[in-house]
Amino acid sequence: MDTRPPSLAEFERLALAAIDALPPAFRRPASDVVLLVEDWPPDHILAEMEIDDPHELTGLYEGIPLTEKSQFDQPLGPDTVWLFREPILDEWRDRGDVALEDLIAHVVVHEFAHHFGWSDDDIAAIDRWWE
């Protein structure tokens, strides 16, 4: 059995599979969001969010939620979902009760939820994490 953690490329492939599993109405708008997979959150993000421990940040959405966008908005850059591999792997190891693909999908759904402006009920209907 291979116990090596997935590479960044393999991790991204799992994240893209989670995006592909979104309900059809959300797949197209999700494709407009840049997906970045990094080992660790960049220092400038940790500083902006006032987070001291990089293990505390598994993912991040940067952008304007679709429910708040206006044709008058002048974006500073593309909407972006960040996934941070090492904090997700640490959570996966600590939990020990969930498949890595499921944890990645959980983080992906929650970050895209920010983009879509979903309520907690919307998230729960798509990401049945508690089951």
Side-chain angles (χ1 to χ4, degrees), residues 64-116:
I64 300 171
L66 291 177
T67 55
E68 298 174 21
K69 280 189 192 278
S70 161
Q71 66 185 21
F72 300 108
D73 286 331
Q74 295 297 312
L76 299 174
D79 291 326
T80 303
V81 165
W82 295 77
L83 297 181
F84 304 116
R85 179 177 165 267
E86 291 298 335
I88 292 171
L89 288 172
D90 285 345
E91 180 178 338
W92 172 64
R93 287 182 198 110
D94 288 347
R95 290 181 59 95
D97 65 348
V98 64
L100 181 58
E101 303 83 39
D102 293 339
L103 182 56
I104 292 169
H106 172 69
V107 175
V108 165
V109 167
H110 273 73
E111 297 314 325
F112 275 91
H114 295 296
H115 175 65
F116 295 125

Side-chain angles (χ1 to χ4, degrees), residues 14-94:
L14 292 170
L16 290 170
I19 294 167
D20 286 343
L22 290 171
F26 295 105
R27 282 186 215 133
R28 170 65 183 98
S31 70
D32 293 334
V33 177
V34 174
L35 176 67
L36 295 177
V37 179
E38 300 288 339
D39 276 325
W40 293 102
D43 290 338
H44 74 277
I45 288 177
L46 294 171
E48 286 172 20
M49 297 183 74
E50 299 180 355
I51 296 175
D52 294 326
D53 183 355
H55 291 94
E56 293 178 13
L57 189 60
T58 57
L60 176 69
Y61 168 69
E62 289 184 316
I64 300 171
L66 291 177
T67 55
E68 298 174 21
K69 280 189 192 278
S70 161
Q71 66 185 21
F72 300 108
D73 286 331
Q74 295 297 312
L76 299 174
D79 291 326
T80 303
V81 165
W82 295 77
L83 297 181
F84 304 116
R85 179 177 165 267
E86 291 298 335
I88 292 171
L89 288 172
D90 285 345
E91 180 178 338
W92 172 64
R93 287 182 198 110
D94 288 347

